[in-house]
DNA sequence: GCATTAACCACAG
DNA sequence: CTGTGGTTAATGC
C-alpha cells in the first residue's frame, strides 16, 4: 500500500536497484540521508516555471513532459521517464526553474535537497561524471530541437518527433497512449491541425500505421530521410 | 503573378 | 479532443 508521501534513505529504498545511486561510488553521508518520495497523479503539475528551486528530482516511475509556457501554446522540450533527473538545469544559475513539468501518467519522484546534490558533486567523481553525461545528452538534444524549430518544414518536424518517440527508452512505455495530438504539436512546434494532416498523409503513404492514438513506423528509412531532408 | 507552405478558423464527430 | 476543409498571409520562383 503506497502512501502519498514517504521518506526513505537510499539504503532502505525499494527502488534503489534502478536508481543512479547504483552507478556512483558509495557515499555514506548521501546514501543515509532521508529523501522524500512524492506521488503525482496524471495531469498534475510537478514544476511550475518561475518558482524557486529547492530540490532536484529523480523520476522513479512514470512519464513527465517538460515544457516552456507561452501565451497560447507551449513548447514541449522533452518527455522523460523513470530513471531520469528532473530539474538539473536549475542546479546553478538564478535558482528559479526555467520550465514547467507535468505528469503524463501517475508519477513518483524522489526529491533530493539542492545543496546535498551540490555537495555530492564536489565529493564524488562518479556522480560528477554521471551529471556531465546527463548535460551532454540534453545539450545535444537541444541542438536537434533548435534545428527542428528553426529550419525544418512540417514533414521534417513531425518525422523528427516520431523518431524521438520511437527511441528504445520509450519502447516499454506505450508512449502514444499518454500523448494527445496537441502534445505532438507542441513537441514538434507545429499547429495541431498540421499534425493531424501530416500523420494521415504519412499513413496513406505507408510510412507509418495509425492505430488509434498509436503510431507504428513501417518505413524507417523513408522516415529518416524525411527527417533529414525536410 | 502564380505556386507552395502552414497557420488560423469553423464546424462535425 | 480530433480530423477536415476552406481561407489567408508569407515566401519563393
Amino acid at each position: 500500500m503506497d502512501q502519498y508521501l514517504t521518506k526513505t534513505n537510499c539504503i532502505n529504498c525499494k527502488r534503489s536497484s534502478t536508481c543512479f545511486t547504483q552507478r556512483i561510488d558509495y557515499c555514506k553521508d548521501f546514501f543515509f540521508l532521508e529523501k522524500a518520495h512524492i506521488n503525482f497523479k496524471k495531469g498534475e503539475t510537478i514544476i511550475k516555471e518561475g518558482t524557486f528551486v529547492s530540490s532536484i528530482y529523480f523520476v522513479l516511475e512514470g512519464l513527465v513532459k517538460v515544457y516552456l509556457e507561452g501565451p497560447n501554446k507551449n513548447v514541449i522540450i522533452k518527455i522523460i521517464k523513470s530513471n531520469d533527473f528532473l530539474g538539473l538545469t536549475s542546479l546553478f544559475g538564478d535558482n528559479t526553474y526555467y520550465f514547467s513539468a507535468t505528469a503524463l501518467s501517475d508519477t513518483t519522484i524522489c526529491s533530493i535537497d539542492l545543496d546535498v546534490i551540490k555537495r555530492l558533486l564536489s565529493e564524488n567523481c562518479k556522480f560528477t561524471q554521471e551529471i556531465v553525461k546527463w548535460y551532454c545528452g540534453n545539450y545535444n538534444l537541444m541542438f536537434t530541437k533548435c534545428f527542428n524549430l528553426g529550419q525544418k518544414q512540417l514533414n521534417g518536424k513531425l518525422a523528427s518527433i516520431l523518431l524521438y518517440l520511437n527511441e528504445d527508452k520509450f519502447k516499454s512505455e506505450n508512449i502514444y497512449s499518454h500523448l494527445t495530438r496537441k502534445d505532438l504539436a507542441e513537441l514538434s512546434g507545429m499547429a495541431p491541425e498540421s499534425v493531424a494532416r501530416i500523420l494521415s498523409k504519412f499513413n496513406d503513404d505507408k510510412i507509418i500505421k495509425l492505430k488509434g492514438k498509436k503510431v507504428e513506423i513501417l518505413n524507417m528509412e523513408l522516415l529518416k530521410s524525411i527527417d533529414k531532408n525536410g
Side-chain angles (χ1 to χ4, degrees):
Chain A
M1 43 170 214
D2 274 351
Q3 286 173 284
Y4 191 70
L5 192 150
T6 52
K7 286 195 174 168
T8 181
N9 61 32
C10 298
I11 308 298
N12 298 321
C13 180
K14 288 176 223 153
R15 311 214 184 229
S16 64
S17 66
T18 54
C19 180
F20 73 94
T21 51
Q22 290 287 312
R23 302 190 294 272
I24 68 173
D25 291 328
Y26 179 76
C27 170
K28 190 182 170 197
D29 284 351
F30 180 80
F31 280 57
F32 272 92
L33 188 86
E34 278 217 326
K35 296 148 195 91
H37 288 189
I38 306 167
N39 295 316
F40 293 89
K41 296 253 158 55
K42 180 186 169 77
E44 254 187 301
T45 299
I46 300 171
I47 290 175
K48 180 82 180 171
E49 196 174 325
T51 55
F52 286 108
V53 181
S54 55
S55 44
I56 300 294
Y57 296 154
F58 187 75
V59 179
L60 299 171
E61 187 72 52
L63 278 175
V64 177
K65 67 171 170 183
V66 173
Y67 59 99
L68 304 179
E69 295 188 40
N72 301 313
K73 54 185 176 181
N74 302 326
V75 177
I76 300 180
I77 301 298
K78 58 177 178 172
I79 309 287
I80 61 177
K81 55 166 268 186
S82 55
N83 205 17
D84 198 356
F85 288 101
L86 174 61
L88 265 190
T89 43
S90 303
L91 193 54
F92 296 99
D94 63 4
N95 263 16
T96 59
Y97 288 113
Y98 278 60
F99 61 87
S100 297
T102 63
L104 289 172
S105 64
D106 290 354
T107 294
T108 306
I109 58 120
C110 176
S111 167
I112 309 166
D113 185 84
L114 185 70
D115 293 326
V116 172
I117 293 280
K118 285 185 179 173
R119 208 181 316 140
L120 193 62
L121 264 178
S122 58
E123 289 169 2
N124 194 323
C125 261
K126 279 263 186 66
F127 180 65
T128 310
Q129 245 185 56
E130 187 80 13
I131 297 303
V132 172
K133 235 189 271 177
W134 186 91
Y135 276 105
C136 289
N138 275 274
Y139 210 73
N140 289 330
L141 187 68
M142 287 314 112
F143 285 154
T144 311
K145 195 101 213 159
C146 286
F147 190 73
N148 242 348
L149 298 180
Q151 290 278 321
K152 280 190 192 166
Q153 293 182 294
L154 295 186
N155 292 340
K157 284 182 176 176
L158 190 63
S160 171
I161 289 309
L162 294 179
L163 291 171
Y164 170 65
L165 295 174
N166 191 54
E167 283 175 21
D168 287 339
K169 61 180 172 185
F170 296 130
K171 282 276 160 60
S172 56
E173 300 291 334
N174 233 323
I175 186 95
Y176 286 105
S177 62
H178 301 290
L179 295 173
T180 64
R181 292 283 129 109
K182 195 174 174 230
D183 286 330
L184 291 182
E186 293 182 346
L187 265 168
S188 50
M190 48 202 274
E193 298 94 325
S194 303
V195 171
R197 238 187 286 270
I198 289 171
L199 275 178
S200 66
K201 185 165 76 84
F202 282 177
N203 191 54
D204 291 343
D205 294 345
K206 302 273 188 287
I207 300 167
I208 60 169
K209 183 162 191 177
L210 294 174
K211 293 177 177 174
K213 287 182 80 177
K214 284 193 188 111
V215 178
E216 190 188 311
I217 296 178
L218 296 178
N219 191 337
M220 180 60 90
E221 288 314 305
L222 192 48
L223 193 62
K224 277 183 180 165
S225 92
I226 293 170
D227 172 44
K228 225 174 174 187
N229 306 313

